[in-house]
């Protein structure tokens, strides 16, 4: 494996924001997740829950509800605006003011979008080809509309409000029923009960969840209460029902998700009833958003993690599919490391931090902690301009240039490191408004910026002025933006990958398309070009590794051997994607990969592990005598000493930088959880 | 409001003058030795002074009336000045009616176009174009929107984290997890950093002063 001096970096105070709303599109198997800072994430459930797309947030865009209509995604927020998103160019397409005060909920059916507002109106918007248009208001009510649910036929709408549920006739706009929800026991009279969520089933059953901790089942035809389930002492914040309406889940402030099923309570009885069946506790804080897919319960909330919990009666037991998934970190790198200068750039939504790594002159045995001679220091904290959050950033390998982009603007800065100074490069080419991914060439002479519709812009960097050189465009019809960029060390190649799983390699000398890597069904999560062999190493969301020779335009022999033999089953069972690929300049056969829980050095010269081999064999190897080791060693050398990794990178002086962010640190900074009494504490 | 105030001040001044005259009389009687006065004399004097007082009051009232009248006139004058002259107004009126006739005469298509234009103008949002480069936008509406947003967020916060929501801190939750978990470890946060802030600041200040005091005698 080799020995490295490791910089163990723990000063990246990355703090994810809470999940506020979710919406699942069962046709495309995409989950949209809205966070409290207004950021939107798209997860592909068909491709190992990979976080395909991220639309950065904006100040004041407090997204409160999400809704898919076909392939279009709409959100409503407390700023009173309805936003449709452009999922190809990763930006809001347009916003429409609803003129009803803050929007609490949004729900689509067919070509209509119903919006529940603070002023007590349910507003209907017609979804047109290019935009949405206000159609009419339903009867205005006193008090805010917190939740909405369409009857599957589209003729009725149930609206959850303060202290009651209203049923509207969608055609006439008249309120037909009023279901009064009673206050919790012992609650003060002044504090009304909030109907946080409501679900309208096709048999006219209405299910509501409220702030008194109840899940109530109502008959929507007569407007009578059928059954009350007291679930918690706190609020029941979210509800979701499966598509076949046989199972319902409710998320509470305690962090539990309670499942109800529509079954007959005793074996011999025919009539069915909603019965509380299971309780999941996967969250430490409030569950604010829930989705019931066909096979799993997806939940998210204040503890910022997305949890996918497969239902064991729907999937095969003890398989890869039945394992629980937690997504805690973004599936892309927020850290940029300048290899030559020993600088680290940390990306936050509203600022960037530039740090110089510490230094130590000590020599020690493996596993020793060396004394720090020079402490790491924060050189620059750069606040972003405008109200859009930062979507990507990059630091040049020499540490002399810094670039970041928001949805609306791209900014480039020149850094002087000996006397720390930063100057903005004002003369950027005019039409280079924004970028989705940024990358500097190794000699810091060029900046590559992934632009709209899958094109990549090449900008030449020089001191007084930066010049636009070329736009690289793929020939294929894909309009998805490029989410990965990798430039080769010798400046000859640039590899780009988009979310349609296409990988294009451009020749930078001729500025033309060199070749296209055969399309694999899973999305690339990380890639890099080997500096000595010019082989492109690509890792996909399903954990497969490919090596493609750019000179011969074919997969290398090692890659073919790996595919033939197959990866170790433990490697395939890992549940976080590889987010960074690096190489060891001293040994070209070494590939350094990392995910959230481990980093791995793949030695291409060693035999591949077979299924009967132990994958994590570092400890056993150490205990063996020297000559025996060779017989037992295999290509995958995995280190789990450092946990919850944000970045692993190799510096030019052959020392390893490991950026950690322990989940415990994140957890200790979260907002207040509910107070639960535990026996004997 | 203004009128009321004015009235009040006027009345107060009136009373003042009356008291002044009385005090004058008193003074005169105070200085000299008491003179003999017939009842008639005193009566006439009293009547005179009463009359005087009434007169002054009336005069003041009239003055006030005059003042108001003048003000009224001024306002009317200003109003007139603001309005365009009658001939100009007439001209505009006639022009408008002409235009209407024209539009009515024109084909339906053009009318639609005009409508579109108007709609486009509407779509521009709160902004309205005045001549040249400047635009006028309403500031108040946006402010109210943000205040509404703030109110909505406050509602949410008060419901979830407000009084009666029974919340604890994450630190306590973590320590509880540590207690009930299988492998016990050190507490996540040993030190309460926000504990006794004022005392700490005070101590720091005292320490600095002490160091300063120590240094002075030595040099």
């Amino acid at each position: 494996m080799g020995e490295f001096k490791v910089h163990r970096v723990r000063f990246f105070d990355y703090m994810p924001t809470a999940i506020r709303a979710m919406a699942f599109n069962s046709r495309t198997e995409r989950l949209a997740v809205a966070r409290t800072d207004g950021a939107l994430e798209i997860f592909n459930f068909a491709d190992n829950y990979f976080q395909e797309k991220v639309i950065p947030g904006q100040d004041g865009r407090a997204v409160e509800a999400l809704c898919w209509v076909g392939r279009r995604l709409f959100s409503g927020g407390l700023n009173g605006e309805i936003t449709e998103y452009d999922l190809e160019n990763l930006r809001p397409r347009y916003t429409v003011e609803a003129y009803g005060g803050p929007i609490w909920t949004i729900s689509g059916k067919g070509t209509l979008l119903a919006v529940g507002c603070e002023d007590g109106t349910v507003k209907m918007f017609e979804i047109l080809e290019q935009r949405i248009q206000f159609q009419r208001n339903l009867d205005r009510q006193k008090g805010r509309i917190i939740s909405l649910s369409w009857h599957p036929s589209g003729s009725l709408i149930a609206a959850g409000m303060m202290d009651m549920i209203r049923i509207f006739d969608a055609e006439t706009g008249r309120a037909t029923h009023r279901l009064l929800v009673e206050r919790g026991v012992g609650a003060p009279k002044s504090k009304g009960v909030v109907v946080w969520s409501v679900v309208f089933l096709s048999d006219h059953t209405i299910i509501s969840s409220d702030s008194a901790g109840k899940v109530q089942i109502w008959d929507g035809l007569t407007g009578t209460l059928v059954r009350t389930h007291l679930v918690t002492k706190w609020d029941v914040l979210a509800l979701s029902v499966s598509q076949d309406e046989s199972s319902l889940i409710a998320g509470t402030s305690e962090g539990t998700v309670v499942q109800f099923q529509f079954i007959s309570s005793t074996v011999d009885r025919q009539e069915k009833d909603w019965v509380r069946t299971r309780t999941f506790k996967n969250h430490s804080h409030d569950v604010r958003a829930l989705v019931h897919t066909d096979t799993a319960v997806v939940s998210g909330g204040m503890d910022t993690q997305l949890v996918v919990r497969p239902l064991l009666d729907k999937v095969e037991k003890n398989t890869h599919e039945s394992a629980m998934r937690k997504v805690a970190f973004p599936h892309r790198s927020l850290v940029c490391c300048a290899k030559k200068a020993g600088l680290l750039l940390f990306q936050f939504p509203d600022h960037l931090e530039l740090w110089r790594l510490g230094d130590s002159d000590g020599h020690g045995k493996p596993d020793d902690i060396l004394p720090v001679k020079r402490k790491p220091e924060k050189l620059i904290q750069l606040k972003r301009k405008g109200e859009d959050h930062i979507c990507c950033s990059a630091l040049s390998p020499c540490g002399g240039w810094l670039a970041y982009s928001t949805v609306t603007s791209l900014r480039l800065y020149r850094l002087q490191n000996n006397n720390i100074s930063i100057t903005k490069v004002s003369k950027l080419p005019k039409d280079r408004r924004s970028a989705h991914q940024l990358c500097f060439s190794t000699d810091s002479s060029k900046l590559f910026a992934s632009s709209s519709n899958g094109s990549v812009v090449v900008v030449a960097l020089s001191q007084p002025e930066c010049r636009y050189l070329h736009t690289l465009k793929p020939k294929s019809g894909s309009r998805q933006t490029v989410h990965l960029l990798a430039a080769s060390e010798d400046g000859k190649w640039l590899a780009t990958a988009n979310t349609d799983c296409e990988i294009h390699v451009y020749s930078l000398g001729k500025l033309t398309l060199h070749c296209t890597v055969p399309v694999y069904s899973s999305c690339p999560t990380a890639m890099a070009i080997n500096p000595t062999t010019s082989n492109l190493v690509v890792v996909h969301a399903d954990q497969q590794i490919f090596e493609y020779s750019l000179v011969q335009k074919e997969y290398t022999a090692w890659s073919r051997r790996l595919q033939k033999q197959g990866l170790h089953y433990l490697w395939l069972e890992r549940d976080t994607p590889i987010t960074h690929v690096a190489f060891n300049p001293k040994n070209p056969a070494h590939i350094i990969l990392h995910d959230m829980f481990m980093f791995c050095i793949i030695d291409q010269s060693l035999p591949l592990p077979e299924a009967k081999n132990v994958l994590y064999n570092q400890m056993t190897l150490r205990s063996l005598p020297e000559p025996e080791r060779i017989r037992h060693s295999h290509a995958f050398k995995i280190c789990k000493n450092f946990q919850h990794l944000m970045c692993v990178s190799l510096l030019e002086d052959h020392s390893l930088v490991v950026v950690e962010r322990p989940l415990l640190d994140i957890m200790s900074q979260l907002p207040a959880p509910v107070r639960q009494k535990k026996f004997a504490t | 409001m203004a009128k009321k105030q004015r009235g009040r001040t006027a009345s107060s001044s009136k009373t003042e003058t009356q008291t002044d005259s009385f005090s004058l009389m008193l003074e005169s009687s105070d200085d000299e030795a008491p003179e003999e006065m017939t009842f008639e004399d005193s009566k006439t004097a009293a009547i005179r002074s009463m009359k005087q007082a009434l007169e002054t009051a009336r005069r003041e009232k009239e003055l006030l009336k005059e003042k108001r009248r003048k003000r009224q006139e001024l306002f009317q004058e200003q109003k007139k000045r603001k309005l365009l002259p009658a001939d100009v107004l007439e001209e505009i009126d006639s022009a408008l009616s002409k235009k209407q006739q024209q539009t009515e005469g024109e084909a339906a298509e053009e009318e639609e176009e005009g409508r579109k234009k108007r709609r486009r103008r509407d779509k521009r949002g709160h902004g309205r174009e005045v001549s040249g480069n400047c635009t006028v936008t309403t500031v108040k509406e946006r402010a109210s929107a943000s205040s509404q947003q703030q109110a909505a967020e406050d509602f949410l916060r008060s419901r979830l984290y407000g009084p009666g929501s029974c919340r604890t801190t994450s630190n306590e939750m973590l320590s509880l997890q540590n207690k009930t978990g299988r492998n016990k470890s050190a507490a996540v946060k040993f030190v309460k950093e926000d504990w006794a802030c004022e005392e700490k600041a005070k101590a720091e200040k005292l320490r600095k002063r002490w160091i300063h005091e120590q240094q002075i005698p030595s040099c």
Side-chain angles (χ1 to χ4, degrees):
Chain A
M1 188 159 175
E3 285 173 8
F4 295 99
K5 199 158 93 178
V6 177
H7 294 271
R8 191 172 194 178
V9 174
R10 284 178 161 186
F11 41 78
F12 181 22
D13 294 325
Y14 166 71
M15 196 62 207
T17 52
I19 291 172
R20 180 61 201 87
M22 292 198 292
F24 186 66
N25 191 340
S26 54
R27 199 173 305 160
T28 57
E29 295 208 57
R30 299 295 200 279
L31 178 81
V33 172
R35 295 196 181 256
T36 41
D37 65 344
L40 191 90
E41 293 160 9
I42 307 282
F43 290 85
N44 186 355
F45 273 39
D47 188 10
N48 275 279
Y49 312 100
F50 180 60
Q51 187 187 45
E52 276 188 331
K53 292 164 187 176
V54 177
I55 299 175
Q58 192 185 36
D59 285 351
R61 189 203 294 154
V63 175
E64 196 67 21
L66 278 178
C67 150
W68 287 96
V69 178
R71 285 171 179 273
R72 296 166 73 179
L73 183 65
F74 295 91
S75 80
L78 291 184
N79 56 356
E81 285 171 351
I82 305 168
T83 307
E84 187 184 347
Y85 294 92
D86 183 348
L87 294 179
E88 275 170 359
N89 291 321
L90 306 184
R91 63 177 72 215
R93 181 173 284 157
Y94 57 82
T95 56
V96 172
E97 175 78 37
Y99 293 109
I103 294 173
W104 288 99
T105 172
I106 184 167
S107 178
K109 183 90 210 164
T111 61
L112 283 178
L113 200 65
V115 171
C117 300
E118 171 86 7
D119 67 348
T121 54
V122 178
K123 291 175 188 288
M124 298 291 221
F125 285 81
E126 199 177 353
I127 302 167
L128 304 174
E129 199 100 315
Q130 290 299 320
R131 63 204 167 85
I132 57 170
Q133 194 174 35
F134 175 71
Q135 202 189 36
R136 67 205 163 88
N137 278 333
L138 303 188
D139 275 358
R140 183 167 171 171
Q141 305 297 315
K142 261 189 207 165
R144 49 179 74 85
I145 307 279
I146 302 280
S147 51
L148 275 179
S149 178
W150 285 88
H151 185 258
S153 70
S155 59
L156 295 169
I157 304 180
M161 303 171 60
M162 301 291 291
D163 294 321
M164 66 168 111
I165 303 164
R166 283 270 184 185
I167 304 173
F168 293 95
D169 189 322
E171 262 115 64
T172 60
R174 296 268 169 268
T176 56
H177 280 99
R178 193 177 71 148
L179 318 178
L180 288 178
V181 180
E182 69 179 32
R183 205 172 285 128
V185 183
K189 264 192 179 164
S190 58
K191 212 172 173 184
V193 58
V194 186
V195 181
W196 286 118
S197 185
V198 68
V199 166
F200 210 149
L201 303 183
S202 53
D203 62 349
H204 290 275
T205 302
I206 295 172
I207 299 169
S208 70
S209 72
D210 55 49
S211 60
K214 304 189 294 281
V215 172
Q216 289 183 311
I217 293 143
W218 308 78
D219 186 340
L221 292 172
T222 56
T224 48
L225 179 63
V226 177
R227 186 173 282 270
T228 300
H229 293 275
L230 191 62
V231 172
T232 172
K233 276 191 270 178
W234 291 274
D235 299 25
V236 185
L237 293 168
L239 280 180
S240 179
V241 74
S242 66
Q243 216 153 30
D244 59 355
E245 297 186 351
S246 67
S247 165
L248 174 93
I249 45 174
T252 68
S253 276
E254 284 173 279
T256 54
V257 175
V258 180
Q259 191 190 11
F260 295 87
Q261 277 175 299
F262 194 54
I263 46 175
S264 47
S265 47
T266 48
V267 183
D268 48 328
R269 279 244 305 271
Q270 277 302 304
E271 52 189 82
K272 287 184 171 179
D273 204 358
W274 284 99
V275 180
R276 180 174 167 169
T277 51
R278 270 176 275 202
T279 304
F280 308 107
K281 172 102 171 94
N282 300 320
H283 293 275
S284 58
H285 288 67
D286 311 38
V287 175
R288 300 290 301 271
L290 270 183
V291 159
H292 197 314
T293 68
D294 286 339
T295 56
V297 171
V298 186
S299 53
M302 298 307 291
D303 66 353
T304 76
Q305 296 185 6
L306 180 74
V307 177
V308 182
R309 176 72 181 246
L311 290 166
L312 291 181
D313 51 348
K314 302 279 170 58
V315 294
E316 213 175 308
K317 264 173 214 145
N318 296 328
T319 58
H320 188 45
E321 276 154 22
S322 66
M324 192 177 75
R325 294 287 194 116
K326 278 193 181 188
V327 181
F329 285 169
H331 289 168
R332 57 198 60 210
S333 192
L334 299 177
V335 182
C336 194
C337 178
K339 286 175 192 157
K340 291 174 190 165
L343 298 173
L344 284 177
L345 180 73
F346 299 140
Q347 179 190 324
F348 296 86
D350 54 352
H351 69 275
L352 298 171
E353 279 181 11
L354 186 71
W355 286 75
R356 180 183 287 146
L357 285 168
D359 209 353
S360 161
D361 51 357
H363 295 279
K365 298 194 299 294
D367 290 342
D368 272 4
I369 297 169
L370 300 179
V372 177
K373 190 180 73 180
R374 192 189 58 194
K375 280 195 170 174
E377 49 182 341
K378 192 203 263 186
L379 301 181
I380 290 168
Q381 175 160 341
L382 185 67
K383 278 177 90 175
R384 71 174 148 84
K385 285 269 192 268
E387 54 184 15
D388 293 306
H389 293 178
I390 294 169
C391 74
C392 62
S393 60
L395 182 66
S396 71
C398 67
W401 299 88
L402 190 160
Y404 80 86
S405 177
T406 65
V407 167
T408 51
S409 67
L410 168 65
R411 282 161 198 276
L412 181 66
Y413 295 87
R414 178 86 185 139
L415 300 173
Q416 249 95 38
N417 283 321
N418 31 17
N419 53 344
I420 301 148
S421 75
I422 182 163
T423 45
K424 188 175 178 249
V425 180
S426 52
K427 284 178 181 165
L428 269 183
K430 270 275 148 45
D431 54 334
R432 309 285 80 83
R433 290 257 180 266
S434 75
H436 304 290
Q437 185 64 260
L438 291 165
C439 172
F440 285 95
S441 66
T442 316
D443 57 352
S444 306
S445 65
K446 289 192 187 86
L447 171 68
F448 308 108
S450 119
S451 182
S452 56
N453 296 336
S455 59
V456 176
V457 173
V458 185
V459 177
L461 304 176
S462 54
Q463 194 45 265
E465 190 178 13
C466 291
R467 208 155 37 83
Y468 162 74
L469 281 185
H470 194 71
T471 304
L472 302 167
K473 262 186 192 154
K475 288 203 182 77
S476 68
S478 171
R479 294 171 60 81
Q480 303 287 353
T481 52
V482 167
H483 74 290
L484 290 175
L485 285 170
S488 70
E489 195 114 335
D490 53 5
K492 270 190 194 161
W493 319 106
L494 176 76
T496 69
N498 64 20
T499 40
D500 274 347
C501 309
E502 293 172 347
I503 299 169
H504 301 285
V505 181
Y506 299 94
S507 149
L508 289 174
K510 290 180 255 175
L511 291 171
T512 51
L513 186 70
H514 174 68
C515 62
T516 301
V517 179
V519 176
Y520 182 64
S521 59
S522 180
C523 193
T525 63
M527 62 179 186
I529 300 171
N530 196 324
T532 42
T533 57
S534 285
N535 289 339
L536 178 71
V537 174
V538 188
V539 189
H540 293 267
D542 63 351
Q543 315 293 358
Q544 291 291 342
I545 305 167
F546 291 97
E547 194 187 33
Y548 188 81
S549 167
L550 298 182
V551 184
Q552 275 130 32
K553 298 192 188 177
E554 60 177 20
Y555 286 120
T556 60
W558 181 80
S559 179
R560 283 166 203 276
R561 205 165 67 236
L562 185 68
Q563 287 306 310
K564 208 170 174 184
Q565 188 178 331
L567 283 152
H568 198 275
Y569 70 97
L570 284 176
W571 175 269
L572 295 174
E573 270 177 15
R574 291 179 309 110
D575 59 353
T576 51
I578 299 281
T579 49
H580 190 74
V581 178
F583 296 98
N584 188 349
K586 280 192 181 165
N587 191 345
H590 282 184
I591 308 168
I592 303 168
L593 311 166
H594 86 89
D595 68 3
M596 190 174 145
F597 296 102
M598 60 102 206
F599 78 89
C600 166
I601 297 177
I602 298 177
D603 192 340
Q604 288 177 303
S605 59
L606 287 176
L608 294 165
E610 284 167 34
K612 64 177 196 291
N613 290 126
V614 187
L615 185 67
Y616 306 106
N617 64 350
Q618 295 303 303
M619 292 306 280
T620 50
L621 278 188
R622 193 179 280 182
S623 64
L624 288 173
E626 194 80 40
E628 287 248 329
R629 281 185 199 177
I630 299 163
R631 220 155 45 78
H632 284 88
S633 63
H634 57 74
F636 287 73
K637 299 174 181 311
I638 294 167
C639 170
K640 287 195 166 188
N641 291 2
F642 310 103
Q643 288 272 295
H644 312 316
L645 296 172
M646 301 291 290
C647 176
V648 174
S649 187
L650 198 62
L651 291 185
E652 203 149 69
D653 62 349
H654 208 66
S655 57
L656 206 63
V657 179
V658 173
V659 181
E660 283 179 301
R661 178 67 178 159
L663 289 180
L664 205 61
D665 290 4
I666 292 178
M667 205 159 148
S668 66
Q669 288 178 31
L670 289 174
V674 296
R675 183 193 300 278
Q676 278 168 317
K677 179 71 190 132
K678 285 271 160 64
F679 176 71
T681 51
Chain B
M1 180 78 184
K3 256 183 196 172
K4 264 188 201 165
Q5 262 181 357
R6 229 178 286 135
R8 207 179 299 147
T9 51
S11 65
S12 67
S13 66
K14 193 163 64 186
T15 49
E16 263 170 38
T17 47
Q18 274 176 348
T19 49
D20 271 2
S21 60
F22 280 126
S23 67
L24 264 174
M25 269 168 53
L26 282 174
E27 263 175 41
S28 63
S29 64
D30 215 51
D31 276 8
E32 293 151 25
E35 269 178 43
E36 212 177 288
M37 255 183 158
T38 59
F39 177 70
E40 286 291 304
D41 270 355
S42 58
K43 193 181 173 187
T44 49
I47 287 170
R48 202 170 57 231
S49 67
M50 280 261 277
K51 262 184 188 169
Q52 256 179 1
L54 279 172
E55 187 98 328
T56 49
R58 197 168 50 84
R59 219 181 300 137
E60 291 226 336
K61 232 182 208 172
E62 263 171 20
L63 262 168
L64 213 70
K65 253 187 191 169
E66 183 73 7
K67 223 178 178 178
R68 276 187 197 144
R69 200 170 52 79
K70 267 186 184 168
R71 244 181 129 74
Q72 186 71 21
E73 270 173 17
L74 191 77
F75 281 152
Q76 268 171 358
E77 188 76 9
Q78 275 177 345
K79 221 177 199 175
K80 260 184 204 169
R81 239 181 281 158
K82 260 186 205 166
L83 280 175
L84 287 166
D87 50 331
V88 176
L89 282 176
E90 267 173 31
E91 225 170 78
I92 290 169
D93 208 28
S94 62
L96 263 178
S97 61
K98 250 186 222 167
K99 236 186 208 169
Q100 259 178 3
Q101 277 166 7
Q102 266 181 6
T103 48
E104 275 164 25
E106 276 165 14
E109 282 180 17
E110 293 211 350
E111 205 177 87
E112 219 177 70
E113 208 171 276
R115 222 180 272 161
K116 264 185 202 164
K117 256 184 203 166
R118 240 169 286 150
R119 212 178 287 158
R120 219 171 290 149
R121 203 170 294 159
D122 290 348
K123 240 190 256 170
R124 230 165 277 163
H126 314 301
R128 182 187 293 170
E129 213 155 279
V130 193
S131 63
N133 265 342
C134 55
T135 52
V136 177
T137 53
T138 50
V139 185
K140 210 172 174 188
E141 195 167 306
R142 200 160 287 176
S144 79
S146 74
S147 76
Q148 275 180 329
Q149 182 175 351
Q150 197 58 48
E153 277 166 10
D154 287 346
F155 163 73
L156 211 61
R157 200 171 309 125
S158 74
R159 290 308 305 214
L160 294 179
Y161 297 101
S165 63
C166 243
R167 299 269 169 176
T168 154
T169 59
S170 339
N171 202 28
E172 258 174 62
M173 183 196 65
L174 286 173
S175 78
L176 213 103
Q177 266 182 15
N178 202 7
K179 271 182 202 169
T180 51
R182 191 173 296 160
N183 32 355
K184 318 260 186 284
S185 67
V188 180
K189 223 164 103 185
F190 278 116
V191 193
K192 251 191 196 168
E193 267 144 29
D194 55 343
W195 176 78
C197 283
E198 279 175 31
E199 280 84 350
K200 273 185 202 164
K202 216 190 227 169
E204 180 67 15
K205 216 192 267 170
L206 279 173
R207 193 179 67 90
K208 269 185 188 161
R209 192 188 291 162
W210 184 78
I211 289 170
H212 194 68
E213 277 167 6
Q214 293 290 305
Q215 275 169 350
I216 286 167
S218 69
C219 61

